[in-house]
Amino acid sequence: MLNIKMDLSKTKKEKPDEKNLSFGKYYTDNMFIMDYTEGKGWHDPRIVPYQNISLDPAAMVFHYAQESFEGLKAYKTADGSIQLFRPDKNAERMQSTHKRICIPEVPVEDFVQAVKTLVSVEKDWVPSEPETSLYLRPFVIATEAHLGVKPSSTYMFMVIASPVGAYYEEGMNPVKIFVEDEYVRATPGGTGFIKCGGNYAASLASQVKAHDLGYSQVLWLDGVERKYVEEVGSMNIFFKIDGKFYTAPTSGTVLPGVTRMSCIELLKKWGYEVKEEHIAIVDIMKAAKDGKLEEVFGTGTAAVISPVGELRYEDEIARINDFKTGDITQKLYDTLTGIQWGKIKDDMNWTVKVD
Ligand code: COI
């Protein structure tokens, strides 16, 4: 168990209007920090005022992108209590990220304790307007000043918190997605299955292209054949075709999303068949033409459940469910957010109370 030192901010920032939070614009008064030094391990866990950090310009994170991050949320329930959603899953995923890019692992219980303690300190920042939450961003950076390529010998683990509303401007309305067939996101043996900043840097050119064409995000195809659908910029993606659900397997190139995993569990509980398999984009476009592509939705912590109303692949456009949110997409959204905001009994045991 961490012995977290508290050196909290003496001043309090003005809180933003909860009706206009959007995503990732505001930060709370304090943040969590813990250091790592080779030979000593993780040490000096503390909560300090939210502030700039000072790093040597040669810090390895700036040059070789040895960095990991996570995203999870704290929710205020109707009775005023605060809860997290499956924080241990984020902690475990961070460990798998760290194994791949040679960062020392943060113990699961320390990750969860750090997040819970910061949320407890920042209780007043958890918004209560519908569809809002306190987004938590745990991340680790390599801090050793060294220009040779090797794993850093020092790191910082930090958690910052940001009150948020919907990730997309569209809110819960369907989004338009552009299928990227020029650049790829991940190849087998690479880093597609982990959450590291470099994956997102490499996605920006496609995202800008998609935005310029009027699309919210890109849908990535596999990096070998550019044929099979994988994931969207900031979410996993599901297709309902002829009554069955399909989503890409997370073996190697796709991020194992916590919301993805939770949706699969819910869909199976409701009796649906969910196939985690490679599905070709041409088969999806054909299903759309044949009237069999019933629903498409993305899943993610930031994006929650996001209905997809249009897919563009090359010069072809598939309009899904008349650009309306599908019934199961809506049911998943209602169930998942119902559990998260404490409106529905948590039969799945997914929520964790913050004292
Ligand atoms: C999340 O859903 O928490 C993410 O990390 C996606 C992010 C890139 C906004």
Side-chain angles (χ1 to χ4, degrees), residues 80-325:
S81 65
I82 293 168
Q83 56 191 25
L84 298 166
F85 185 74
R86 311 186 85 177
D88 52 317
K89 296 291 170 208
N90 294 90
E92 285 165 11
R93 188 172 61 187
M94 183 176 258
Q95 290 195 329
S96 102
T97 298
H98 285 197
K99 281 196 184 97
R100 178 65 182 81
I101 53 176
C102 300
I103 298 179
E105 287 166 39
V106 176
V108 169
E109 56 283 9
D110 292 354
F111 176 106
V112 174
Q113 190 193 343
V115 166
K116 274 174 109 172
T117 311
L118 181 66
V119 173
S120 176
V121 164
E122 301 294 49
K123 262 195 188 92
D124 295 350
W125 280 91
V126 185
S128 41
E129 273 295 309
E131 335 251 287
T132 62
S133 55
L134 185 67
Y135 184 78
L136 301 154
R137 172 53 63 86
F139 63 107
V140 175
I141 53 171
T143 53
E144 183 185 345
H146 187 82
L147 294 183
V149 178
K150 61 149 199 126
S152 176
S153 61
T154 56
Y155 299 86
M156 276 167 96
F157 170 50
M158 279 174 273
V159 187
I160 55 172
S162 170
V164 297
Y167 184 72
Y168 293 112
E169 275 168 30
E170 292 87 341
M172 181 51 194
N173 296 320
V175 293
K176 289 163 68 179
I177 302 279
F178 178 80
V179 182
E180 173 60 286
D181 57 1
E182 181 187 2
Y183 300 117
V184 298
R185 174 185 175 276
T187 48
T191 57
F193 67 103
I194 65 168
K195 215 155 170 63
C196 63
N199 285 347
Y200 293 81
S203 76
L204 295 176
S206 302
Q207 191 180 310
V208 168
K209 181 169 67 175
H211 272 191
D212 290 348
L213 291 166
Y215 290 81
S216 301
Q217 293 236 336
V218 296
L219 168 56
W220 297 104
L221 299 179
D222 75 279
V224 178
E225 296 184 65
R226 297 188 198 196
K227 189 170 162 190
Y228 301 104
V229 295
E230 297 220 312
E231 65 180 84
V232 174
S234 59
M235 53 191 192
N236 296 109
I237 188 159
F238 287 70
F239 303 88
K240 180 167 178 252
I241 301 175
D242 223 4
K244 290 190 191 109
F245 289 85
Y246 296 83
T247 191
T250 55
S251 46
T253 52
V254 172
L255 190 78
V258 179
T259 314
R260 172 191 181 278
M261 177 193 307
S262 308
C263 285
I264 293 175
E265 289 173 44
L266 285 174
L267 289 168
K268 288 189 174 164
K269 186 174 155 212
W270 296 336
Y272 289 103
E273 198 173 331
V274 184
K275 291 176 170 284
E276 292 179 67
E277 58 186 48
H278 299 288
I279 170 159
I281 184 66
V282 291
D283 293 336
I284 289 170
M285 299 308 277
K286 180 168 184 314
K289 261 199 203 125
D290 296 347
K292 291 184 174 168
L293 183 59
E294 294 156 2
E295 298 185 35
V296 181
F297 57 89
T299 63
T301 298
V304 195
I305 306 287
S306 180
V308 176
E310 181 179 315
L311 281 176
R312 171 166 158 191
Y313 174 53
E314 297 177 338
D315 291 328
E316 238 182 282
I317 288 187
R319 216 175 139 81
I320 300 133
N321 195 34
D322 251 343
F323 216 80
K324 292 197 301 278
T325 302

